[in-house]
């Protein structure tokens, strides 16, 4: 793997599916996994096999059908979790076990009622045990965002020695600021012995709306994998949105970072996940929201009609959206009306446009949006054609 290549680890089917009320069944998960494989994600986290027979079955079925991506199963640092995950992954061409434990004071003291050294011992035991089943073992230090860097470095060093191939540094509670998260990754790169034997992974939650910014800061500081979900879905405020981090790297080539993602599939897969889970995507969602390429104010519409790039930094076709939308509202100008009227068959002269525009404004003041059938009606009542 070249140093400019960022691995995309999709956890839509594991962390993403932790959205309350959005449980998917195995056939739905298999359909999504096939599309993720075609999309070009490098790793698919297919589930948490020990959590339920249904999740075990999903991981097993996904392992059978995925052709290119690594298939990963989550576990706690518990022997039985690891054994069950290995069993669920047995058909995978490229299996990965993702094991780990909480490393912040809050997790060590309150959740485990334990101490720092004992947590390192458990982490090492879990990684060594996972290594007895598969070569590829990812270790997560849960709540790494609130774990002090010096202890986190000790944990990382110990699990690398035990054979971990990937170190996941989750900002589990979405607490870090981008410069803090970036500094954490840099600290690990500079202070963990053997760090070159492992890939550092960013796993950021969106509680403060910073998941995307934190993940990008992480890769700028040396991480080489991002864990993310389609549409940013996930527990509470969700995870890093796959479509956002991928398009940030594509739109900023000077970062010199690349992925294997076929970006033209992004809009379609966003809709598939949203429909399968019954979660509506907010219209202003970056990249895949209904309004991401829609223009409704007169000034913007005029600019986009003259040259799309005036108000768009992404070509909608690059993410699978056919074209930008010029939405007609009471804030729209003559250029937008002429553009939309032409699309439905009226080539208006300047004088005709003046007449139709006056009728349009009266209409638009009473409607949220003027649609194609309204344009026919407005032209008809404007009486410019006999
Ligand atoms: O957010 C988190 O810490 C996680 C781990 C289980 C990887 O999802
Ligand atoms: Zn998570």
């Amino acid at each position: 793997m070249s140093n400019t290549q960022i691995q995309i680890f999709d956890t839509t089917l594991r962390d993403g599916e932790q959205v309350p009320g959005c449980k998917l069944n195995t056939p739905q998960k298999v359909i999504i996994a096939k599309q993720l494989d075609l999309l070009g994600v490098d790793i698919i986290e297919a589930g948490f096999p020990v959590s339920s027979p249904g999740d075990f079955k999903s991981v097993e079925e996904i392992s059978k059908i995925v052709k290119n991506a690594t298939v990963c199963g989550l576990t706690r640092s518990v022997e039985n979790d690891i054994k069950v995950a290995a069993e669920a992954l047995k058909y995978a061409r490229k299996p990965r076990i993702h094991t780990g434990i909480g490393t912040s004071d809050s997790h060590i003291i309150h959740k485990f009622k334990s101490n720092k050294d004992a947590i390192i011992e458990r982490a090492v035991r879990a990684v060594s045990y996972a290594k007895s089943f598969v070569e590829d073992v990812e270790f997560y230090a849960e709540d790494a965002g609130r774990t002090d860097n010096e202890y986190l470095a000790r944990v990382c060093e110990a699990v690398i020695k035990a054979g971990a191939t990937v170190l996941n540094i989750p900002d589990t509670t979405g607490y870090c600021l981008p410069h803090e998260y970036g500094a954490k990754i840099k600290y690990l790169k500079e202070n963990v012995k053997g760090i070159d034997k492992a890939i550092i992974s960013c796993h950021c939650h969106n509680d403060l709306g910073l998941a995307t910014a934190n993940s990008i800061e992480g890769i700028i500081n040396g991480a080489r994998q991002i864990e993310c979900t389609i549409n940013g879905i996930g527990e509470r405020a969700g995870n890093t949105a796959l479509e956002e981090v991928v398009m940030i790297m594509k739109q900023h080539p000077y970062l010199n970072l690349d992925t294997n993602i076929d970006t033209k599939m992004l809009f379609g897969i966003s809709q598939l996940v949203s429909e399968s889970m019954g979660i509506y995507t907010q219209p202003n969602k970056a990249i895949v929201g209904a309004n991401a390429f829609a223009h409704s104010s007169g000034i913007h519409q005029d600019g986009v009609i003259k040259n799309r790039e005036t108000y768009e930094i992404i070509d909608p076709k690059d993410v699978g959206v056919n074209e930008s939308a010029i939405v007609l509202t009471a804030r729209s100008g003559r250029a937008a009306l002429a553009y939309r009227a032409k699309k439905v068959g009226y080539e208006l002269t300047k004088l005709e446009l003046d007449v139709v525009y006056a009728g349009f404004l009266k209409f638009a003041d009473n409607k949220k949006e003027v649609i194609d059938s309204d344009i026919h009606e407005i032209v008809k009542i404007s009486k410019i054609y006999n």
Side-chain angles (χ1 to χ4, degrees):
M1 189 180 76
S2 93
N3 196 37
T4 61
Q5 192 71 18
I6 300 302
Q7 301 279 294
I8 296 295
F9 175 116
D10 181 277
T11 183
T12 304
L13 301 176
R14 198 280 295 171
D15 221 345
E17 204 226 13
Q18 288 175 209
V19 177
C22 293
K23 178 112 196 51
L24 297 171
N25 57 35
T26 299
Q28 286 173 316
K29 286 192 180 182
V30 166
I31 290 171
I32 293 174
K34 273 188 189 154
Q35 292 304 305
L36 290 170
D37 203 21
L38 290 173
L39 178 69
V41 307
D42 301 283
I43 302 103
I44 296 173
E45 187 163 51
F48 182 7
V50 84
S51 67
S52 73
D55 230 33
F56 181 94
K57 183 92 195 129
S58 297
V59 175
E60 194 176 47
E61 294 304 315
I62 289 169
S63 297
K64 288 179 189 163
I65 58 96
V66 165
K67 293 198 166 72
N68 301 307
T70 294
V71 180
C72 175
L74 184 79
T75 80
R76 296 164 295 181
S77 280
V78 170
E79 278 205 358
N80 190 49
D81 284 27
I82 296 168
K83 195 161 69 154
V84 171
E87 175 68 17
L89 290 165
K90 69 172 180 283
Y91 298 107
R93 290 174 201 201
K94 293 187 257 173
R96 176 181 293 180
I97 292 178
H98 189 189
T99 190
I101 194 161
T103 53
S104 65
D105 284 348
S106 155
H107 281 237
I108 296 175
I109 297 164
H110 303 294
K111 195 162 109 180
F112 299 115
K113 305 199 185 332
S114 185
N115 62 66
K116 288 185 168 176
D117 289 337
I119 290 295
I120 293 183
E121 263 175 47
R122 269 188 74 174
V124 166
R125 260 205 315 275
V127 170
S128 307
Y129 189 56
K131 278 300 257 198
S132 69
F133 296 102
V134 294
E135 178 46 39
D136 191 3
V137 174
E138 172 167 342
F139 175 81
Y140 64 86
E142 194 179 5
D143 207 12
R146 293 186 299 171
T147 300
D148 77 78
N149 289 348
E150 195 254 328
Y151 176 64
L152 188 59
R154 274 179 60 207
V155 176
C156 290
E157 209 164 293
V159 296
I160 291 173
K161 260 201 206 138
T165 44
V166 182
L167 295 175
N168 178 7
I169 309 301
D171 185 19
T172 305
T173 56
Y175 178 72
C176 288
L177 293 174
H179 72 276
E180 291 168 338
Y181 190 74
K184 194 174 276 295
I185 302 298
K186 189 165 189 280
Y187 182 89
L188 296 176
K189 281 292 276 182
E190 289 172 355
N191 292 283
V192 173
K193 243 190 259 140
I195 193 71
D196 294 337
K197 294 197 197 112
I199 291 175
I200 299 184
S201 181
C202 308
H203 178 116
C204 299
H205 279 268
N206 206 30
D207 299 66
L208 291 172
L210 291 170
T212 294
N214 285 348
S215 299
I216 295 296
E217 208 47 41
I219 54 173
I220 286 173
N221 281 282
R224 282 295 170 269
Q225 176 177 290
I226 295 182
E227 309 199 0
C228 45
T229 61
I230 301 293
N231 301 334
I233 56 164
E235 194 141 335
R236 306 187 310 280
N239 289 62
T240 301
L242 180 149
E243 60 278 6
E244 293 175 12
V245 287
V246 166
M247 289 312 290
I248 288 170
M249 286 182 257
K250 187 172 165 77
Q251 298 308 113
H252 290 273
Y254 64 88
L255 288 175
N256 201 19
L257 298 169
D258 208 359
T259 69
N260 288 324
I261 300 297
D262 174 2
T263 63
K264 290 193 168 56
M265 287 184 64
L266 287 173
F267 185 66
I269 200 159
S270 156
Q271 294 208 309
L272 171 68
V273 168
S274 156
E275 280 161 21
S276 313
M277 289 195 164
I279 318 184
Y280 167 75
T281 305
Q282 72 198 65
N284 59 325
K285 170 77 190 61
I287 322 291
V288 292
N291 292 346
F293 300 99
H295 307 273
S296 75
S297 86
I299 296 172
H300 287 212
Q301 291 175 327
D302 183 47
V304 168
I305 290 167
K306 286 176 178 146
N307 177 8
R308 189 190 57 73
E309 289 181 15
T310 315
Y311 287 103
E312 278 181 0
I313 58 156
I314 297 171
D315 183 339
K317 289 192 177 57
D318 282 351
V319 297
V321 174
N322 277 345
E323 56 177 356
S324 319
I326 298 293
V327 182
L328 292 179
T329 71
R331 304 282 85 76
S332 300
R334 283 174 173 71
L337 180 60
Y339 173 87
R340 285 283 301 274
K342 190 172 172 191
K343 282 202 166 252
V344 294
Y346 305 105
E347 188 97 48
L348 301 172
T349 65
K350 191 171 175 315
L351 276 178
E352 286 167 345
L353 181 60
D354 283 344
V355 177
V356 177
Y357 187 65
F360 161 79
L361 282 182
K362 280 190 210 140
F363 212 92
D365 264 338
N366 293 312
K367 275 199 86 178
K368 281 195 168 73
E369 187 184 332
V370 174
I371 58 175
D372 287 350
S373 56
D374 298 329
I375 300 176
H376 291 299
E377 179 73 15
I378 296 165
V379 170
K380 195 166 142 206
I381 58 180
S382 301
K383 296 198 169 115
I384 54 168
Y385 298 122
N386 290 319

